[in-house]
Amino acid sequence: MGLQAHGKTFTMANVIQKVQKPTLVLAHNKTLAGQLYSEFKEFFPENRVEYFVSYYDYYQPESYIAASDTYIEKDASINDEIDKLRHSATLSLFETRDVIVVASVSCIYGLGDPIDYQGMVLSLRPGDQKSREDIMKKLVTMQYGRNELDFKRGTFRAKGDILEIYPSSQSEAAVRVEFWGDEIEKISEINPLTGKPIGTRNHILVPPASQYVTSKDKMDRAIITIEQELDERIKFFKDNNKLIEAQRIEERTNFDIEMMKETGFCSGIENYSRHISGRKPRKPTIYII
C-alpha cells in the first residue's frame, strides 16, 4: 500500500494521462476501491470513471449435509446500485476509449463472453426501421422482463405506439421510444417515477440485463457439456456409494438445465460460466476487448 497521503493516486492519474488507454485500477477491498473511485472522478471529470466491485451485500453458498440429508439453499442479497454500476462499467468499455474502471478483486471472476455481451446490446436511433414487437422480443432475449406496474431496472413496458425501457446501467432515467408504424420516430429520456421527459436522444445503447447473456447456439452447446459433466459426477458419487449426493446433484442440475432451455437463464448461472464460455476444465478466462 505504501505511505498514506504521499501522492500515489496523483501519480497513477498522471500515468493514465500519459498512456491514453482504457485503464483498470485494482484495489483489494470495496472501501479502498470506493475511495479511489471518488478521487479519480475528481482527477478526470470529463472521462468515464466507473466502479466495478462485488454486488453481494450478503452471500451464503448452497451446501448439503449428507449425514442428515439437509440441503441449505443459496441465499444472497444483491446491492441494486452496485449492480447498476457494474453494467455501466461494462457498457462504457464498448462505447468509448477514455474509460477508467476502479475495481476490487471481484473483477477477476469470469463473466460472460464480451463478444456475446456486445452482440446483445440494443442500439436504437430515430429513423431505424424496427417494429415495437421486434424490439420487445430482443429485450426478452437480453433478460429484460415486461412489467407494467413495477417499472424498475431491467424491465420494460408498452402501451400503444410507445415502448418504455429501464436500462440495467441506469437508475436516474429510463428511455421512451415512440413509433410511427415500424419506424422509430422519437427517443426520449424520462423520469422513471413521473414519466416526464428529461431530454431527447439521437442514439441510445441498451445493455443486457445480465452479464451472463449468450447466444442460443452457445447455450445449447453449454447444456451438452453440463450434462456430460453431470453424468461424470453422478457416476463418481455412485461409485463411492454416495447415493444421496448423486440424487441431489442430478435433481438440482437438471432443474437448472430446464430453466436455461426455457428462459436462457437460471439462478446461480455463474456456476456454469466455464461451460457457457466454452473453456476447458481448469483453464482461466482470457478475453481481449
Side-chain angles (χ1 to χ4, degrees):
M1 288 294 296
L3 298 175
Q4 296 294 320
H6 277 64
K8 298 187 296 298
T9 307
F10 180 74
T11 301
M12 286 190 288
N14 277 279
V15 172
I16 294 170
Q17 174 65 25
K18 290 183 178 180
V19 171
Q20 292 289 306
K21 290 183 178 180
T23 304
L24 173 66
V25 179
L26 191 61
H28 65 276
N29 61 46
K30 287 184 180 181
T31 303
L32 180 58
Q35 177 184 338
L36 291 172
Y37 172 68
S38 298
E39 292 175 356
F40 277 113
K41 283 183 75 71
E42 293 180 5
F43 283 129
F44 297 95
E46 304 299 325
N47 289 58
R48 298 285 287 271
V49 181
E50 303 286 357
Y51 187 62
F52 192 99
V53 301
S54 171
Y55 53 28
Y56 290 114
D57 286 334
Y58 166 78
Y59 186 85
Q60 166 66 53
E62 64 181 1
S63 57
Y64 177 67
I65 304 172
S68 59
D69 191 21
T70 302
Y71 172 68
I72 302 174
E73 190 174 358
K74 183 181 80 170
D75 184 23
S77 174
I78 293 178
N79 187 302
D80 189 71
E81 179 66 17
I82 293 179
D83 183 47
K84 179 207 75 173
L85 292 171
R86 286 166 63 96
H87 279 287
S88 177
T90 308
L91 186 62
S92 290
L93 293 171
F94 295 109
E95 287 184 312
T96 182
R97 296 282 295 173
D98 60 338
V99 182
I100 301 167
V101 178
V102 181
S104 68
V105 292
S106 69
C107 74
I108 69 175
Y109 295 100
L111 297 175
D113 190 324
I115 297 175
D116 291 340
Y117 187 93
Q118 186 177 24
M120 286 288 184
V121 172
L122 178 61
S123 175
L124 300 174
R125 299 177 187 270
D128 282 352
Q129 294 293 321
K130 296 179 179 178
S131 69
R132 193 195 71 160
E133 287 69 28
D134 288 343
I135 294 176
M136 290 169 62
K137 289 178 182 178
K138 174 73 172 179
L139 288 169
V140 171
T141 64
M142 294 163 61
Q143 302 300 327
Y144 281 74
R146 182 170 183 173
N147 196 319
E148 304 292 341
L149 300 177
D150 186 16
F151 192 44
K152 59 185 179 180
R153 280 192 327 106
T155 65
F156 66 92
R157 60 190 181 189
K159 187 175 182 180
D161 292 330
I162 295 177
L163 174 65
E164 293 180 346
I165 308 167
Y166 206 146
S168 59
S169 58
Q170 296 188 30
S171 59
E172 299 81 11
V175 177
R176 176 178 293 154
V177 185
E178 300 177 39
F179 295 85
W180 179 261
D182 289 342
E183 179 182 331
I184 296 176
E185 184 179 30
K186 183 180 179 181
I187 299 176
S188 307
E189 280 191 332
I190 62 170
N191 185 306
L193 295 177
T194 65
K196 293 183 178 180
I198 299 173
T200 59
R201 296 288 297 270
N202 292 322
H203 181 227
I204 186 74
L205 288 177
V206 181
S210 167
Q211 292 177 322
Y212 292 93
V213 292
T214 189
S215 65
K216 187 178 185 304
D217 289 342
K218 281 193 174 182
M219 183 60 75
D220 290 342
R221 289 197 295 269
I223 289 172
I224 292 173
T225 60
I226 292 169
E227 290 174 334
Q228 291 171 349
E229 184 177 352
L230 174 61
D231 291 339
E232 294 172 4
R233 298 309 299 168
I234 292 174
K235 182 178 184 301
F236 170 81
F237 285 130
K238 287 184 176 179
D239 289 347
N240 288 273
N241 200 31
K242 296 183 177 182
L243 303 181
I244 296 178
E245 288 90 336
Q247 180 185 11
R248 168 59 64 181
I249 195 172
E250 182 177 18
E251 290 177 351
R252 174 55 193 267
T253 308
N254 281 330
F255 176 79
D256 289 344
I257 289 172
E258 285 301 314
M259 290 298 295
M260 286 187 278
K261 285 180 178 178
E262 293 297 323
T263 68
F265 195 77
C266 73
S267 176
I269 196 169
E270 63 273 9
N271 297 328
Y272 304 105
S273 62
R274 178 183 72 81
H275 297 277
I276 294 172
S277 63
R279 301 197 312 275
K280 298 296 183 182
R282 293 173 293 279
K283 292 295 182 180
T285 304
I286 301 177
Y287 291 132
I288 299 176
I289 298 178

